[in-house]
Amino acid sequence: MKQVARQSRADGLSLGFVPTMGALHEGHLSLVRAAKSDCRPVVASIFVNPTQFAPGEDFQKYPRTFESDRKRLEDAGVDYLFAPDAAEIYPPGFRTWVTVEGLSDRLEGRVRPGHFRGVLTVVLKLFAIVQPQKAFFGRKDAQQARLIGQMARDLHLDSEIIVCPIVRETDGLALSSRNKYLSEEERRAAVVLYRALDATRAAITRGERDALRLTAAMREIIRKEPMAEPDYVELVDAETLEPVTRLRGSCLAVLAARFGTTRLIDNLLIEEHAGEFRTTL
Ligand code: AMP
């Protein structure tokens, strides 16, 4: 992989990179398409990164569908698939970690201790191996994308971070490898996350700017779904990830909830342009 990376640089090519944990769906493939439209060659990785799973999380049972993933990436026109072993990425004696202070402790970081340390460390390692000009991430994991952007800036990485839209099912549920865990009933209930965000979108269109009223309305929608157990429901500044009391600049409505043992996240992007608010689900 390093040889391919060095050769692409030497040839003046713009290498595009799509890191994944496999169990691929249309969300991943949308990142591949974005990379293909902008870069050559395109590299995808599949690595279920053990260090980003907190103790007791689903590392062992995380869906692993390597052969069909490989085929889908090939059909999508990916030039190289990088699928290292955990022992290669974390050899014995490994002891260097990346943390982005502050931003890592909130939201997902609070519920999943050590999660972002694992994510940032593996992304930096993958970048060091793949040396992408551009790397493509989904806004589905908005906090992750924000943290990776911060790391790239803080560490002067030579890779541009591109954040792509959320791909959803027809009923609005954001695609996720973890949707596979849901029972039929939980799958029906899970759309409540989208409904809560969509209600916020509609309220903003009607002129609502008060973050406390918006979050209260989202909590109420989720509370009415008996199968959903919320972890957090917040309206935060997109830069600092701190809660806001009133919409201003770029904000995110962020949600996390459990359906049975499956934990799902989703978000709505809210951007102010010349006094108007644009929302992107
Ligand atoms: P994962 O395999 O879950 O680590 O995800 C790999 C990449 O795909 C990350 O950048 C995710 O944000 C992105 N991704 C996952 N689900 C979606 C989705 N529904 N829409 C867009 N991107 C996604």
Side-chain angles (χ1 to χ4, degrees), residues 19-22 25 27-28 30-31 62 136-141 144 164-168 174-177:
T20 82
M21 297 208 299
H25 51 63
H28 299 111
S30 74
L31 303 181
Y62 195 82
F136 297 80
F137 294 88
R139 206 195 80 229
K140 157 81 178 3
D141 301 281
Q144 168 177 288
C164 299
I166 302 178
V167 178
R168 299 177 177 281
L175 266 57
S176 161
S177 305

mmCIF file of all heavy atoms in Angstrom, residues 19-22 25 27-28 30-31 62 136-141 144 164-168 174-177, ligand 1:
data_model
loop_
_atom_site.group_PDB
_atom_site.id
_atom_site.type_symbol
_atom_site.label_atom_id
_atom_site.label_comp_id
_atom_site.label_asym_id
_atom_site.label_seq_id
_atom_site.Cartn_x
_atom_site.Cartn_y
_atom_site.Cartn_z
ATOM 1 N N PRO A 19 -11.955 5.415 4.038
ATOM 2 C CA PRO A 19 -11.790 4.416 5.098
ATOM 3 C C PRO A 19 -13.140 3.895 5.590
ATOM 4 O O PRO A 19 -14.066 4.687 5.797
ATOM 5 C CB PRO A 19 -11.082 5.183 6.228
ATOM 6 C CG PRO A 19 -11.065 6.620 5.836
ATOM 7 C CD PRO A 19 -11.738 6.788 4.520
ATOM 8 N N THR A 20 -13.232 2.583 5.775
ATOM 9 C CA THR A 20 -14.481 1.980 6.279
ATOM 10 C C THR A 20 -14.149 0.832 7.241
ATOM 11 O O THR A 20 -13.011 0.373 7.300
ATOM 12 C CB THR A 20 -15.348 1.368 5.151
ATOM 13 O OG1 THR A 20 -14.856 0.055 4.839
ATOM 14 C CG2 THR A 20 -15.355 2.216 3.895
ATOM 15 N N MET A 21 -15.209 0.375 7.924
ATOM 16 C CA MET A 21 -15.082 -0.849 8.727
ATOM 17 C C MET A 21 -15.802 -2.007 8.034
ATOM 18 O O MET A 21 -16.122 -3.018 8.675
ATOM 19 C CB MET A 21 -15.653 -0.631 10.130
ATOM 20 C CG MET A 21 -14.877 0.448 10.893
ATOM 21 S SD MET A 21 -14.903 0.220 12.672
ATOM 22 C CE MET A 21 -16.653 0.330 13.005
ATOM 23 N N GLY A 22 -16.096 -1.852 6.734
ATOM 24 C CA GLY A 22 -16.762 -2.939 6.011
ATOM 25 C C GLY A 22 -18.249 -2.990 6.301
ATOM 26 O O GLY A 22 -18.834 -2.009 6.769
ATOM 27 N N HIS A 25 -22.606 -0.446 2.684
ATOM 28 C CA HIS A 25 -23.951 -0.103 2.206
ATOM 29 C C HIS A 25 -23.829 1.113 1.304
ATOM 30 O O HIS A 25 -22.712 1.592 1.049
ATOM 31 C CB HIS A 25 -24.879 0.129 3.398
ATOM 32 C CG HIS A 25 -24.339 1.080 4.417
ATOM 33 N ND1 HIS A 25 -24.072 2.402 4.138
ATOM 34 C CD2 HIS A 25 -23.955 0.903 5.716
ATOM 35 C CE1 HIS A 25 -23.596 3.007 5.205
ATOM 36 N NE2 HIS A 25 -23.498 2.112 6.187
ATOM 37 N N GLY A 27 -24.283 4.153 1.798
ATOM 38 C CA GLY A 27 -23.585 5.295 2.397
ATOM 39 C C GLY A 27 -22.097 5.240 2.073
ATOM 40 O O GLY A 27 -21.502 6.220 1.623
ATOM 41 N N HIS A 28 -21.501 4.064 2.273
ATOM 42 C CA HIS A 28 -20.084 3.890 1.933
ATOM 43 C C HIS A 28 -19.866 4.111 0.438
ATOM 44 O O HIS A 28 -18.906 4.757 0.028
ATOM 45 C CB HIS A 28 -19.618 2.476 2.289
ATOM 46 C CG HIS A 28 -19.724 2.126 3.741
ATOM 47 N ND1 HIS A 28 -20.627 1.207 4.220
ATOM 48 C CD2 HIS A 28 -19.034 2.564 4.818
ATOM 49 C CE1 HIS A 28 -20.475 1.077 5.529
ATOM 50 N NE2 HIS A 28 -19.522 1.904 5.920
ATOM 51 N N SER A 30 -21.523 5.871 -1.606
ATOM 52 C CA SER A 30 -21.632 7.287 -2.001
ATOM 53 C C SER A 30 -20.285 7.989 -1.795
ATOM 54 O O SER A 30 -19.918 8.881 -2.559
ATOM 55 C CB SER A 30 -22.749 7.995 -1.219
ATOM 56 O OG SER A 30 -22.345 8.235 0.122
ATOM 57 N N LEU A 31 -19.545 7.572 -0.774
ATOM 58 C CA LEU A 31 -18.206 8.150 -0.549
ATOM 59 C C LEU A 31 -17.255 7.724 -1.671
ATOM 60 O O LEU A 31 -16.445 8.513 -2.147
ATOM 61 C CB LEU A 31 -17.637 7.701 0.802
ATOM 62 C CG LEU A 31 -18.451 8.003 2.059
ATOM 63 C CD1 LEU A 31 -17.715 7.518 3.301
ATOM 64 C CD2 LEU A 31 -18.737 9.494 2.177
ATOM 65 N N TYR A 62 -19.471 -7.337 15.410
ATOM 66 C CA TYR A 62 -19.615 -6.347 14.329
ATOM 67 C C TYR A 62 -19.684 -7.099 12.994
ATOM 68 O O TYR A 62 -18.893 -8.015 12.756
ATOM 69 C CB TYR A 62 -18.443 -5.365 14.333
ATOM 70 C CG TYR A 62 -18.720 -4.143 13.493
ATOM 71 C CD1 TYR A 62 -19.470 -3.089 14.004
ATOM 72 C CD2 TYR A 62 -18.291 -4.060 12.169
ATOM 73 C CE1 TYR A 62 -19.763 -1.972 13.225
ATOM 74 C CE2 TYR A 62 -18.577 -2.954 11.389
ATOM 75 C CZ TYR A 62 -19.310 -1.917 11.925
ATOM 76 O OH TYR A 62 -19.607 -0.827 11.146
ATOM 77 N N PHE A 136 -12.410 10.897 2.264
ATOM 78 C CA PHE A 136 -13.861 11.126 2.230
ATOM 79 C C PHE A 136 -14.531 10.477 3.433
ATOM 80 O O PHE A 136 -14.351 9.276 3.685
ATOM 81 C CB PHE A 136 -14.422 10.568 0.914
ATOM 82 C CG PHE A 136 -13.869 11.287 -0.285
ATOM 83 C CD1 PHE A 136 -12.600 10.967 -0.776
ATOM 84 C CD2 PHE A 136 -14.582 12.300 -0.899
ATOM 85 C CE1 PHE A 136 -12.066 11.646 -1.867
ATOM 86 C CE2 PHE A 136 -14.055 12.982 -1.986
ATOM 87 C CZ PHE A 136 -12.796 12.655 -2.471
ATOM 88 N N PHE A 137 -15.311 11.284 4.151
ATOM 89 C CA PHE A 137 -16.007 10.813 5.350
ATOM 90 C C PHE A 137 -17.484 11.213 5.240
ATOM 91 O O PHE A 137 -17.829 12.165 4.537
ATOM 92 C CB PHE A 137 -15.393 11.430 6.611
ATOM 93 C CG PHE A 137 -13.985 10.959 6.854
ATOM 94 C CD1 PHE A 137 -12.906 11.619 6.290
ATOM 95 C CD2 PHE A 137 -13.734 9.829 7.622
ATOM 96 C CE1 PHE A 137 -11.603 11.171 6.488
ATOM 97 C CE2 PHE A 137 -12.438 9.374 7.824
ATOM 98 C CZ PHE A 137 -11.365 10.045 7.262
ATOM 99 N N GLY A 138 -18.341 10.499 5.975
ATOM 100 C CA GLY A 138 -19.776 10.785 5.941
ATOM 101 C C GLY A 138 -20.185 11.718 7.076
ATOM 102 O O GLY A 138 -19.671 11.598 8.187
ATOM 103 N N ARG A 139 -21.119 12.639 6.792
ATOM 104 C CA ARG A 139 -21.640 13.511 7.846
ATOM 105 C C ARG A 139 -22.517 12.736 8.828
ATOM 106 O O ARG A 139 -22.857 13.235 9.907
ATOM 107 C CB ARG A 139 -22.432 14.671 7.238
ATOM 108 C CG ARG A 139 -22.457 15.896 8.144
ATOM 109 C CD ARG A 139 -23.526 16.874 7.721
ATOM 110 N NE ARG A 139 -24.804 16.450 8.199
ATOM 111 C CZ ARG A 139 -25.892 16.378 7.460
ATOM 112 N NH1 ARG A 139 -25.874 16.693 6.199
ATOM 113 N NH2 ARG A 139 -27.037 15.970 7.997
ATOM 114 N N LYS A 140 -22.866 11.509 8.470
ATOM 115 C CA LYS A 140 -23.590 10.630 9.398
ATOM 116 C C LYS A 140 -22.880 10.623 10.756
ATOM 117 O O LYS A 140 -23.523 10.653 11.803
ATOM 118 C CB LYS A 140 -23.639 9.223 8.776
ATOM 119 C CG LYS A 140 -23.830 8.086 9.711
ATOM 120 C CD LYS A 140 -25.267 7.937 10.062
ATOM 121 C CE LYS A 140 -25.536 6.763 10.979
ATOM 122 N NZ LYS A 140 -24.414 6.004 11.427
ATOM 123 N N ASP A 141 -21.547 10.568 10.728
ATOM 124 C CA ASP A 141 -20.751 10.604 11.960
ATOM 125 C C ASP A 141 -20.163 12.010 12.080
ATOM 126 O O ASP A 141 -18.970 12.234 11.856
ATOM 127 C CB ASP A 141 -19.668 9.537 11.897
ATOM 128 C CG ASP A 141 -20.270 8.148 11.734
ATOM 129 O OD1 ASP A 141 -20.730 7.602 12.735
ATOM 130 O OD2 ASP A 141 -20.328 7.642 10.595
ATOM 131 N N GLN A 144 -17.270 12.729 14.529
ATOM 132 C CA GLN A 144 -16.054 12.088 14.017
ATOM 133 C C GLN A 144 -15.439 12.947 12.905
ATOM 134 O O GLN A 144 -14.223 13.188 12.903
ATOM 135 C CB GLN A 144 -16.417 10.700 13.486
ATOM 136 C CG GLN A 144 -15.326 10.041 12.687
ATOM 137 C CD GLN A 144 -15.727 8.640 12.253
ATOM 138 O OE1 GLN A 144 -15.781 7.730 13.077
ATOM 139 N NE2 GLN A 144 -16.011 8.455 10.983
ATOM 140 N N CYS A 164 -19.157 14.221 3.254
ATOM 141 C CA CYS A 164 -20.211 13.953 2.262
ATOM 142 C C CYS A 164 -21.575 13.782 2.946
ATOM 143 O O CYS A 164 -21.649 13.461 4.132
ATOM 144 C CB CYS A 164 -19.876 12.683 1.498
ATOM 145 S SG CYS A 164 -18.325 12.809 0.594
ATOM 146 N N PRO A 165 -22.674 13.988 2.179
ATOM 147 C CA PRO A 165 -24.026 13.939 2.755
ATOM 148 C C PRO A 165 -24.407 12.566 3.325
ATOM 149 O O PRO A 165 -23.814 11.547 2.961
ATOM 150 C CB PRO A 165 -24.941 14.262 1.569
ATOM 151 C CG PRO A 165 -24.076 14.817 0.508
ATOM 152 C CD PRO A 165 -22.689 14.316 0.747
ATOM 153 N N ILE A 166 -25.433 12.576 4.159
ATOM 154 C CA ILE A 166 -25.946 11.339 4.761
ATOM 155 C C ILE A 166 -26.859 10.634 3.758
ATOM 156 O O ILE A 166 -27.751 11.263 3.190
ATOM 157 C CB ILE A 166 -26.760 11.649 6.043
ATOM 158 C CG1 ILE A 166 -25.888 12.410 7.047
ATOM 159 C CG2 ILE A 166 -27.323 10.366 6.650
ATOM 160 C CD1 ILE A 166 -26.626 12.814 8.329
ATOM 161 N N VAL A 167 -26.619 9.349 3.544
ATOM 162 C CA VAL A 167 -27.511 8.556 2.692
ATOM 163 C C VAL A 167 -28.540 7.877 3.589
ATOM 164 O O VAL A 167 -28.181 7.307 4.626
ATOM 165 C CB VAL A 167 -26.715 7.508 1.875
ATOM 166 C CG1 VAL A 167 -27.659 6.665 1.026
ATOM 167 C CG2 VAL A 167 -25.681 8.207 1.013
ATOM 168 N N ARG A 168 -29.823 7.969 3.184
ATOM 169 C CA ARG A 168 -30.914 7.471 4.021
ATOM 170 C C ARG A 168 -31.768 6.432 3.293
ATOM 171 O O ARG A 168 -31.812 6.418 2.070
ATOM 172 C CB ARG A 168 -31.829 8.646 4.431
ATOM 173 C CG ARG A 168 -31.100 9.702 5.224
ATOM 174 C CD ARG A 168 -31.993 10.893 5.576
ATOM 175 N NE ARG A 168 -31.234 11.821 6.395
ATOM 176 C CZ ARG A 168 -31.002 11.670 7.696
ATOM 177 N NH1 ARG A 168 -31.535 10.650 8.341
ATOM 178 N NH2 ARG A 168 -30.264 12.537 8.362
ATOM 179 N N ALA A 174 -31.120 6.757 8.590
ATOM 180 C CA ALA A 174 -29.769 6.851 8.033
ATOM 181 C C ALA A 174 -29.190 5.447 7.885
ATOM 182 O O ALA A 174 -29.300 4.630 8.809
ATOM 183 C CB ALA A 174 -28.886 7.695 8.947
ATOM 184 N N LEU A 175 -28.586 5.158 6.745
ATOM 185 C CA LEU A 175 -27.951 3.853 6.555
ATOM 186 C C LEU A 175 -26.815 3.687 7.559
ATOM 187 O O LEU A 175 -26.085 4.639 7.837
ATOM 188 C CB LEU A 175 -27.389 3.738 5.124
ATOM 189 C CG LEU A 175 -28.319 3.084 4.105
ATOM 190 C CD1 LEU A 175 -29.634 3.802 4.022
ATOM 191 C CD2 LEU A 175 -27.665 3.027 2.741
ATOM 192 N N SER A 176 -26.707 2.495 8.117
ATOM 193 C CA SER A 176 -25.645 2.187 9.060
ATOM 194 C C SER A 176 -25.430 0.675 9.043
ATOM 195 O O SER A 176 -26.388 -0.090 8.895
ATOM 196 C CB SER A 176 -26.060 2.623 10.474
ATOM 197 O OG SER A 176 -25.259 1.958 11.441
ATOM 198 N N SER A 177 -24.173 0.270 9.198
ATOM 199 C CA SER A 177 -23.890 -1.166 9.267
ATOM 200 C C SER A 177 -24.630 -1.791 10.441
ATOM 201 O O SER A 177 -24.974 -2.971 10.419
ATOM 202 C CB SER A 177 -22.385 -1.402 9.417
ATOM 203 O OG SER A 177 -21.690 -0.751 8.378
HETATM 204 P P1 AMP B 1 -17.960 2.944 9.076
HETATM 205 O O1 AMP B 1 -17.745 1.770 8.167
HETATM 206 O O2 AMP B 1 -19.224 2.881 9.861
HETATM 207 O O3 AMP B 1 -16.745 3.274 9.895
HETATM 208 O O4 AMP B 1 -18.167 4.192 8.115
HETATM 209 C C1 AMP B 1 -17.206 4.509 7.134
HETATM 210 C C2 AMP B 1 -17.544 5.855 6.554
HETATM 211 O O5 AMP B 1 -18.835 5.827 5.957
HETATM 212 C C3 AMP B 1 -17.592 6.976 7.603
HETATM 213 O O6 AMP B 1 -16.988 8.145 7.067
HETATM 214 C C4 AMP B 1 -19.062 7.158 7.831
HETATM 215 O O7 AMP B 1 -19.406 8.461 8.265
HETATM 216 C C5 AMP B 1 -19.592 6.903 6.436
HETATM 217 N N1 AMP B 1 -21.028 6.569 6.489
HETATM 218 C C6 AMP B 1 -21.618 5.628 7.262
HETATM 219 N N2 AMP B 1 -22.963 5.641 7.086
HETATM 220 C C7 AMP B 1 -23.218 6.631 6.188
HETATM 221 C C8 AMP B 1 -24.407 7.144 5.583
HETATM 222 N N3 AMP B 1 -25.609 6.652 5.881
HETATM 223 N N4 AMP B 1 -24.289 8.170 4.707
HETATM 224 C C9 AMP B 1 -23.069 8.678 4.404
HETATM 225 N N5 AMP B 1 -21.916 8.228 4.927
HETATM 226 C C10 AMP B 1 -21.981 7.213 5.800
#
